[in-house]
Every structure is written in structure tokens, then in C-alpha cells.
Amino acid sequence: MSSALSLTVHDAAAVRAGLDIATLRPAIAEAMIALSQGRVRQNLRSFIGLGEGRTFALMPAAFDGQGLFGAKLVSVFADGAGRKAHEGVVVLFDGQTGVPVCIADAGEITALRTAAASAVATQALARPDASILAILGAGRQAAEHITAIAQVRPLEAVRVWGRDLERTQAFAADMSARIGVAVTAKETPRDAAHDADILCTVTTSVDPVLEGDWVAPGAHVNVVGSSGPMAAEIDTDLVARSRFIVDHAEHVRAHGGEYLRALASGRITPDHIAAEIGTVLSGAEPGRRSDAEITIYKSLGHAAQDITAAGLLLG
């Protein structure tokens, strides 16, 4: 990166114009391989509580050598109705000069890179013939995940569950028109999950919205919405039944609520984490081992992904 680059600022519209999931997918895959191979240094995210339902978080990371480094600074404010707003910035520095070169809207980057990472995991772990997608959640991440998963598997149907049925029906109609595949709103998460090949939990729920009994053999599950140790979107039974693959083991052992609940219950042991997605992508560890196996990708999201996305904005 040239030291002549000046600081650029990318608001939400500029991030959306400059990034797309298809471009992000290979870049995020490479970032996750680098993270698993120790070529990215990052600390556990740190939190400062700002009162009930309000948190400020810092996520720093640096690529080895003279690569990019920086951090995401984000506030997460709950609105009291089960929704959370992520607001913040990703700050990027030039690895050769130490000069800040980019400030980008964190909410937009987070939405895009998270869905891209789930698509990468789905491409690596879901059965090649997987065609029925279930989405639990009907917000921004739900929309991005439908778009992203449709790029890596030949979807024939999408089912969506959200807590507000009327809102979910409107969301389903909009997404049907957007992707050209039938998207149907379901009244319960169990209805949405029934016989689905790929499932994504993208909620803010503290307690499970997806149970193991509802998930068919051979399914792949992306667990995306919960990012703290006290929250779990899937139950212990599903964790225990699955080949449990994570984005980063150190972080999941500290902050992965689903893993921590299952561990505390005695249903799993610490070695239940089968692999990191980066080791699967590099070929160092196997992903899916049979058509009947349930695979899970537990996503917490990482600054390596945010920095990678911001770097693409610089061209």
C-alpha cells in the first residue's frame, strides 16, 4: 500500500457501493485461513457496559508483516423490542507507515462480511445438493444471508421465521422478488426448520430458537446472531449432535454461548470443537464427513474480517 494514500471516509452508502458479497467471499476465506494459521494477531473483543442493553466493544487485529491493521469500534444498543442496533466504524491503518488510511461504516461492513463468511462456510460444509434454506430471524442479516447463500447453493425454496408474522410476511414477499426464489413466512421456527438442508440463525435471542430435534440429518447450520457468552440461539442437543466447526476456537471458548452451555451441561467436552473454518478451507482438517452428518458453523465475527473488507474499499 502506498504511503501517499490519504485518509478516506466511507459512509454506509459508500460501503454498499464499494463492496458486494461475491467479491467478499474469497477475501473473507483467505482471512479466515490466515487467522487459523496464526498470520493474524487479534485480541479477544473487549466490552464496556453503558447501562441496560447498551454496550461499547473494541475489536483489534493486525495481519503479519507489513499488512493492514486496525480495529472495529462499535456500539450495540437494544431498543427494548428484541432488536439491537450496531453502530460504529472500522479504522484501517497502513502496515508500512502506521498511517490511518480508511474509516468505514461498521454496520454496513458487519452486515456484508458476516453473510459472506456464512456463505463461505456453507460452500465448504453443506451438501452439494442442499436446496432448502431456513432462516430464523427477519432482519438485515436475514436478507443478506438469503442473498449470500443463494450464490453458493441452488436454492429451490426459502423459509423464514420472525417474531412478528406480519412483518415476516412482508419481508418474505420482498426477498422473493429480490432473488427470484419462493420465500415463505412460517409461524414457528420449527415449521421453518422442517426438512431444511441449510439453516441460519440470525436473531438477537438470548435463549435457543432452534432445537436439535427439528434439524434433519445431513443439514448444515450457520449460528450467527448470538455473540456473547450468556446467549445461545441453538440448544445443547443440537450442539452435541453436530460436527461443531467454529470461526476461531479461542474466541468461541470465551464467548460462544452455545458451546459454553453445552460444556457446562456435561453433554460435550472441550474437544467437541472439531475444527476452525480456516483449517477446513486450507485442507488441514476435514469438513463434512458424510451426507448424514449435521455440521454447524459457529460465527462470532472477527476484526480480521472487518479489516479485510475495509481494505477492499481502498482498491
Side-chain angles (χ1 to χ4, degrees):
M1 181 177 293
S2 169
S3 60
L5 285 177
S6 59
L7 179 66
T8 63
V9 179
H10 303 260
D11 62 11
V15 172
R16 171 61 63 176
L19 294 177
D20 62 76
I21 289 172
T23 301
L24 273 169
R25 284 202 328 267
I28 294 298
E30 286 301 317
M32 299 314 291
I33 292 171
L35 181 60
S36 290
Q37 292 179 341
R39 293 185 285 115
V40 179
R41 287 166 290 156
Q42 63 177 35
N43 296 334
L44 290 175
R45 67 189 72 193
S46 60
F47 300 90
I48 297 175
L50 303 175
E52 184 67 28
R54 298 183 173 193
T55 303
F56 174 59
L58 169 65
M59 299 167 59
F63 284 81
D64 275 356
Q66 294 186 329
L68 297 169
F69 67 93
K72 180 164 75 174
L73 298 89
V74 62
S75 68
V76 183
F77 278 36
D79 67 358
R83 294 181 294 271
K84 295 182 180 179
H86 291 69
E87 299 288 349
V89 294
V90 176
V91 183
L92 193 64
F93 293 78
D94 180 4
Q96 296 181 29
T97 65
V99 173
V101 291
C102 178
I103 297 174
D105 181 87
E108 202 70 26
I109 282 182
T110 299
L112 292 168
R113 61 81 158 150
T114 303
S118 291
V120 166
T122 300
Q123 190 167 28
L125 298 173
R127 298 191 327 271
D129 63 347
S131 61
I132 300 175
L133 171 64
I135 300 283
L136 305 188
R140 173 69 185 281
Q141 278 294 352
E144 299 297 348
H145 273 70
I146 292 172
T147 301
I149 303 301
Q151 294 179 6
V152 299
R153 285 297 183 270
L155 297 182
E156 296 177 0
V158 180
R159 305 166 185 158
V160 182
W161 168 81
R163 296 188 188 279
D164 184 325
L165 181 58
E166 185 174 345
R167 179 174 176 271
T168 304
Q169 289 170 334
F171 171 85
D174 176 67
M175 291 306 303
S176 293
R178 193 184 306 186
I179 68 169
V181 174
V183 180
T184 306
K186 296 295 183 178
E187 292 189 14
T188 70
R190 183 170 189 166
D191 290 340
H194 179 68
D195 285 342
D197 303 312
I198 304 165
L199 303 94
C200 302
T201 60
V202 288
T203 74
T204 60
S205 181
V206 173
D207 293 312
V209 295
L210 180 62
E211 298 183 11
D213 285 346
W214 307 343
V215 178
H220 170 67
V221 186
N222 297 306
V223 183
V224 178
S226 57
S227 59
M230 305 308 293
E233 289 187 293
I234 65 174
D235 70 0
T236 289
D237 180 59
L238 182 52
V239 173
R241 290 177 59 202
S242 71
R243 180 163 174 80
F244 196 74
I245 294 171
V246 302
D247 53 6
H248 193 231
E250 179 186 5
H251 277 74
V252 169
R253 289 189 177 106
H255 294 152
E258 295 85 4
Y259 166 81
L260 292 170
R261 288 193 192 189
L263 188 65
S265 75
R267 291 285 306 279
I268 66 168
T269 59
D271 62 1
H272 190 68
I273 294 177
E276 293 182 344
I277 191 64
T279 64
V280 174
L281 296 171
S282 70
E285 296 285 350
R288 170 175 296 278
R289 299 172 301 182
S290 74
D291 285 347
E293 188 169 50
I294 294 174
T295 55
I296 287 178
Y297 169 62
K298 170 57 186 172
S299 168
L300 286 173
H302 295 283
Q305 298 169 341
D306 299 307
I307 290 169
T308 295
L312 291 175
L313 292 170
L314 298 178

